[in-house]
């Protein structure tokens, strides 16, 4: 029953925000640039919330200055980390990785609440990310940084990833450390993938038809350019196929709060 109620709440919230974005691509000629170019633009990232996909697992509330995302952290793709009775359970089938080994955990329902700034800005000192969730992907899955659990080596842990490059930690919290390939396969290689805790968006590895490398990005794994969503420019992270994958040396902006 609670899940049905959550879905209705989530849907109604999405309906409120569902008509906000898009419509601008052909209007580029009409944009007047009259701002002081040295002034940092503060964008309203709430225009991205209707791009979240796995809505039955998410509740998103857009407030005046913050966006609160509550997730059950349930991947919408198959995984052998679901219990075998789950309709999304699928045995691992990745013949390209003979080193594969399943970790002993299964996916369980989480209650992660992330409150991010609606108008993210560059921080004067860049806070390090911590263990555990550092962001939420559009399909409700937690994003983790490039570090393994204490005592483990992340490059060994890669061999425990399922066919969509995720795995659960000790409490059953499923997460991605690297490009969420199910999302880029279904939404596009340059798609909006989710938010980090500082409110800045994460995009796929492609931009303007070109695959980005870490050399295209700063120490935090992002850069400021115009994007389809923000034609005036916005700082954003990119997932790349090289370590550190999603985030580098911490948050570009000031992180909000996250409980789990
Ligand atoms: Zn992990
Ligand atoms: Zn970019």
């Amino acid at each position: 029953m609670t899940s049905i109620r959550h879905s209705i709440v989530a849907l109604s919230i999405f309906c409120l925000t569902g008509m906000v974005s898009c419509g601008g691509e052909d209007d580029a000629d009409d944009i007047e640039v009259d701002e002081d170019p040295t002034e940092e633009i503060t964008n309203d990232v709430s225009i991205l919330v209707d791009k979240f996909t796995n809505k039955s697992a998410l509740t998103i509330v857009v407030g005046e200055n913050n966006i609160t995302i509550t997730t059950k952290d349930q991947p919408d793709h198959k995984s052998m980390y679901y219990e075998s009775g789950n309709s999304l359970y699928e045995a691992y089938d990745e013949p390209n990785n003979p080193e594969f080994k399943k970790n002993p955990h299964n996916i369980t329902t989480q209650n992660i609440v992330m409150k991010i700034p609606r108008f993210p800005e560059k921080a004067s000192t860049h806070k390090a990310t911590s263990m555990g969730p550092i962001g939420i992907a559009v399909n409700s899955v937690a994003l983790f940084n490039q570090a393994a659990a204490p005592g483990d080596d992340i490059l060994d842990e890669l061999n425990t990833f399922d066919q969509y490059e995720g795995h659960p930690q000790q409490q059953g919290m499923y997460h991605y450390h690297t490009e969420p390939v199910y999302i880029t396969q279904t939404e596009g290689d340059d798609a909006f993938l989710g938010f980090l805790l500082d409110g800045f968006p994460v995009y796929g590895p492609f931009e303007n038809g070109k695959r980005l490398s870490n050399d295209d990005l700063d120490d935090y794994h992002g850069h400021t350019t115009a994007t389809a969503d923000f034609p005036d420019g916005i700082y954003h992270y990119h997932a790349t196929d090289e370590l550190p994958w999603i985030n580098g040396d911490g948050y570009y902006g000031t992180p909000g709060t996250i409980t789990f």
Side-chain angles (χ1 to χ4, degrees):
M1 293 305 271
T2 51
S3 70
I4 293 167
R5 192 169 56 78
H6 278 250
S7 305
I8 292 166
V9 171
L11 275 175
S12 58
I13 290 159
F14 274 98
C15 291
L16 286 173
T17 56
M19 301 304 290
V20 175
S21 73
C22 56
E25 286 97 19
D26 298 330
D27 299 337
D29 295 344
D30 301 333
I31 293 170
E32 288 177 37
V33 181
D34 56 5
E35 288 121 8
D36 176 353
T38 61
E39 185 187 320
E40 185 159 2
I41 297 160
T42 50
N43 284 294
D44 180 357
V45 297
S46 72
I47 64 164
L48 295 169
V49 302
D50 62 334
K51 296 184 182 235
F52 277 71
T53 56
N54 187 9
K55 291 175 185 173
S56 62
L58 290 158
T59 305
I60 303 181
V61 177
V62 177
E64 194 177 343
N65 293 307
N66 296 287
I67 302 170
T68 304
I69 304 174
T70 303
T71 181
K72 298 178 189 171
D73 190 29
Q74 298 290 287
D76 53 347
H77 54 68
K78 297 200 167 177
S79 174
M80 76 280 183
Y81 287 112
Y82 272 118
E83 303 271 1
S84 55
N86 190 299
S87 61
L88 287 172
Y89 171 81
E90 180 176 77
Y92 186 72
D93 179 20
E94 187 55 82
N96 297 331
N97 185 8
E99 304 293 309
F100 170 75
K101 51 184 187 296
K102 186 180 184 295
N103 81 23
H105 314 296
N106 280 319
I107 297 168
T108 57
T109 302
Q110 304 293 314
N111 182 32
I112 304 170
V113 181
M114 179 170 86
K115 188 172 177 184
I116 61 172
R118 180 173 168 184
F119 304 94
E121 293 183 88
K122 180 182 181 180
S124 49
T125 55
H126 299 279
K127 216 170 163 209
T129 58
S130 46
M131 304 300 291
I134 66 164
I136 296 176
V138 294
N139 67 343
S140 88
V141 169
L143 297 171
F144 276 33
N145 70 12
Q146 67 275 33
D152 290 345
D153 180 338
I154 191 68
L155 298 177
D156 280 342
E157 283 197 4
L158 297 184
N159 291 316
T160 71
F161 290 177
D162 64 19
Q163 56 269 52
Y164 294 110
E165 312 290 356
H167 68 174
Q169 44 76 295
Q170 300 86 315
Q171 282 79 39
M173 185 190 294
Y174 187 83
H175 57 278
Y176 307 119
H177 296 267
T178 62
E179 176 188 336
V181 295
Y182 181 77
I183 302 173
T184 50
Q185 283 168 15
T186 53
E187 305 296 321
D189 282 326
D190 58 358
F192 166 62
L193 304 180
F195 289 117
L196 293 195
L197 185 54
D198 60 0
F200 284 111
V202 184
Y203 286 88
F206 276 72
E207 189 164 73
N208 300 322
K210 175 180 166 258
R211 176 179 279 279
L212 301 180
S213 73
N214 291 353
D215 291 340
D216 298 308
L217 306 172
D218 65 16
D219 291 345
Y220 313 98
H221 222 243
H223 62 180
T224 302
T225 64
T227 70
D229 297 314
F230 297 98
D232 291 337
I234 186 173
Y235 186 85
H236 54 281
Y237 301 100
H238 281 281
T240 68
D241 59 6
E242 306 166 293
L243 245 177
W245 301 305
I246 294 175
N247 178 260
D249 295 342
Y251 296 108
Y252 182 77
T254 305
T257 58
I258 194 161
T259 60
F260 52 92

